[in-house]
Amino acid sequence: MSPVSLVACPRSKKNTMFLPFFCIVFLGLMVISVSALPENPAILQQYMFGGSKFDTAMSVQQTGEGGYIFCGHTQSENLPGYHGGEADGLVVKLNTDAGTEWSRCYGGRYYEEFDSIQETFDGGYILAGWTRSPDGDLADDFPGYEPDKELSNQWIWIVKLDSAGDIQWDEVLWTSGITPEDHGHTLSVLQAVDGSFLVTSGEYGSDHWSYAHIYTLGRDGKLLKHTSIGPQGMNPTSIKQTRDGGYIVSGSTGKCSTGADCEDADAILIKLDPNFNQQWIDSPRRENSDEYFYSVEQTLDSGYIAVGKICPYDPYDRTVLVRRYDSTLSLVWEKIYQGSGIMENVAVSVAQSPDGKYIIGGYADSNDGDFGGNHGGWDGWVAKLGEGGTIIWQKSIGGSAHERFFSMTLTQDNHILLAGESRSNDGDLGWTIPGGDDAWLVWLETEPPSIEKIIPSPYVPVTGKTLSLMAYGNASLDWEITGMKWELYDKEG
């Protein structure tokens, strides 16, 4: 039987069978009997982007036509279109061969960054980030706008791009008051199945995160709804739509001295219904340590897996935290991965592979315990876990300076794609761009899955235009699909 994968709206050179309705599978089908990934997969290719100073990739995604897009920020004044000031938001589009298709700097005269990007149903992109500028690419009609005056705090900046990177609209929302220190796990954006856009953010008060917020924007960028969720002190880090049409939100709670890590912090997950009403909540508590969740994903059995870190009050004992839940946020298993590095070990992204195992990505400076192969300083770190959290393989990627992964996704051909920043020119990196850190993408080579059976989940939201079943190889397909129920939505929801 030929290996097969389910892909949302690709335009592929491989053999593809199309259903007659133009639709996108939003959340998945259960896949069983799939070939395992190889042990400690090899680096397939790498991509670097940067200029004279610091450049970072914070969020990456494969696009529908098979290319790639990432966002982040840049301080490189020699990049075309740089607006000056401390930093610009950065977006780079790659083609299917990982060559630069276009790159753009967005912002004004002071400070901008992008933390989250998603391809939209119309082939464009939605971005969530921060701004302190009243000029440049920013609209001039938001509350608190004063020409030629730097904003007192960072304001949330939502930007809608077309497929070529031109701004279609932007919206500046309420300020959180945080500083740019240790940014990167604060904003999350998605397009819901009804076509609206959701953005999560924390509210930072004088010495603590006050409440978590979800902003709902229409297709034209106008604010439709503002919802506060969770207990006081919650800082949300990730939001995903679930198969029942609701949402799962990860984050942490606690008293913060800055906009970054908190004292007395607890990791937290909240399950919301489609109207943002709380259904279930879990917030594990440990003595003498702080805990954070940075990412959560719904699993094939409609449960959840969340990743983050534990920071014991001993500053030299920071560990990776992974917790697996059932559909009602009851704990199935928990695993802690430890090493003796002097900085920190953290998982910031998670995905379930087609064989039902889990891929986690982040960074670590340990070279013992559950970690190995470190090249010096922080390395980008990725691992494959079995059920129960057993490490199947783990890999440190980097050089003698610092490398970190902030985002991870599985590609249409089942490779692992990681994005972050790199400073080294040795080890796994034989080159660097003169300046500071460079935006860095790494593809890990894996085996395409061999699917013997596809079982649809009870509820599969579908929207958009095309469902394709992609076949790898030249063998004929031999399958049977029974009992599948489709709910189709037009572009108006």
Side-chain angles (χ1 to χ4, degrees), residues 224-277:
L224 302 177
K225 187 176 182 180
H226 169 215
T227 308
S228 296
I229 63 169
Q232 186 175 13
M234 180 177 176
N235 175 32
T237 56
S238 174
I239 183 171
K240 304 292 172 59
Q241 192 157 25
T242 53
R243 295 189 185 98
D244 61 0
Y247 305 92
I248 186 76
V249 181
S250 66
S252 61
T253 65
K255 181 179 179 180
C256 302
S257 56
T258 71
D261 291 351
C262 306
E263 300 172 359
D264 300 322
D266 298 328
I268 189 171
L269 286 183
I270 298 178
K271 173 64 174 68
L272 306 173
D273 69 15
N275 296 315
F276 305 114
N277 298 309

Side-chain angles (χ1 to χ4, degrees), residues 160-489:
K160 175 65 171 67
L161 306 179
D162 65 17
S163 60
D166 294 323
I167 295 178
Q168 294 180 301
W169 54 258
D170 74 297
E171 186 75 8
V172 178
L173 301 174
W174 162 95
T175 177
S176 68
I178 72 165
T179 69
E181 298 176 2
D182 198 14
H183 53 76
H185 307 300
T186 305
L187 284 176
S188 180
V189 65
L190 66 83
Q191 186 170 24
V193 294
D194 64 1
S196 64
F197 301 104
L198 304 183
V199 180
T200 59
S201 174
E203 173 188 354
Y204 181 63
S206 59
D207 64 350
H208 63 281
W209 292 98
S210 296
Y211 290 100
H213 300 273
I214 298 177
Y215 300 93
T216 304
L217 287 74
R219 291 182 178 86
D220 60 358
K222 300 304 181 184
L223 182 64
L224 302 177
K225 187 176 182 180
H226 169 215
T227 308
S228 296
I229 63 169
Q232 186 175 13
M234 180 177 176
N235 175 32
T237 56
S238 174
I239 183 171
K240 304 292 172 59
Q241 192 157 25
T242 53
R243 295 189 185 98
D244 61 0
Y247 305 92
I248 186 76
V249 181
S250 66
S252 61
T253 65
K255 181 179 179 180
C256 302
S257 56
T258 71
D261 291 351
C262 306
E263 300 172 359
D264 300 322
D266 298 328
I268 189 171
L269 286 183
I270 298 178
K271 173 64 174 68
L272 306 173
D273 69 15
N275 296 315
F276 305 114
N277 298 309
Q278 181 175 304
Q279 293 179 293
W280 300 290
I281 185 170
D282 181 69
S283 186
R285 175 66 179 165
R286 288 177 173 81
E287 296 296 328
N288 301 317
S289 67
D290 299 328
E291 298 85 35
Y292 308 87
F293 281 145
Y294 290 136
S295 183
V296 62
E297 289 288 338
Q298 190 169 32
T299 54
L300 295 172
D301 61 358
S302 295
Y304 304 95
I305 186 166
V307 299
K309 67 180 180 181
I310 300 175
C311 300
Y313 294 157
D314 176 355
Y316 301 109
D317 186 19
R318 297 190 173 189
T319 59
V320 169
L321 171 64
V322 179
R323 285 171 69 92
R324 175 75 160 88
Y325 297 88
D326 67 14
S327 60
T328 62
L329 291 187
S330 296
L331 183 65
V332 177
W333 54 261
E334 176 187 89
K335 192 71 173 179
I336 297 170
Y337 306 94
Q338 295 179 302
S340 61
I342 63 173
M343 291 182 289
E344 67 176 348
N345 310 308
V346 55
V348 300
S349 195
V350 61
Q352 189 166 23
S353 59
D355 61 359
K357 305 301 191 294
Y358 310 99
I359 310 296
I360 62 174
Y363 50 94
D365 72 325
S366 296
N367 200 29
D368 58 2
D370 294 308
F371 303 88
N374 183 272
H375 298 78
W378 272 318
D379 270 4
W381 185 72
V382 58
K384 183 180 181 182
L385 310 178
E387 198 62 44
T390 301
I391 294 179
I392 298 174
W393 54 257
Q394 65 86 35
K395 189 177 185 70
S396 296
I397 306 172
S400 58
H402 289 313
E403 279 71 44
R404 294 191 289 178
F405 292 136
F406 298 125
S407 180
M408 181 190 70
T409 187
L410 300 183
T411 64
Q412 295 170 4
D413 50 5
N414 200 41
H415 296 318
I416 301 168
L417 171 59
L418 302 117
E421 62 186 14
S422 171
R423 191 178 299 177
S424 300
N425 61 359
D426 55 7
D428 293 316
L429 299 103
W431 77 100
T432 189
I433 301 171
D437 296 347
D438 298 317
W440 180 44
L441 271 60
V442 178
W443 288 258
L444 296 183
E445 186 172 16
T446 59
E447 297 175 358
S450 178
I451 299 175
E452 297 179 7
K453 192 174 184 180
I454 302 175
I455 303 174
S457 63
Y459 177 85
V460 184
V462 180
T463 188
K465 295 181 178 179
T466 302
L467 168 68
S468 72
L469 300 176
M470 182 184 296
Y472 295 89
N474 298 317
S476 61
L477 298 177
D478 179 16
W479 59 29
E480 180 181 4
I481 300 178
T482 60
M484 181 174 291
K485 177 184 178 181
W486 295 103
E487 292 192 16
L488 305 179
Y489 299 82

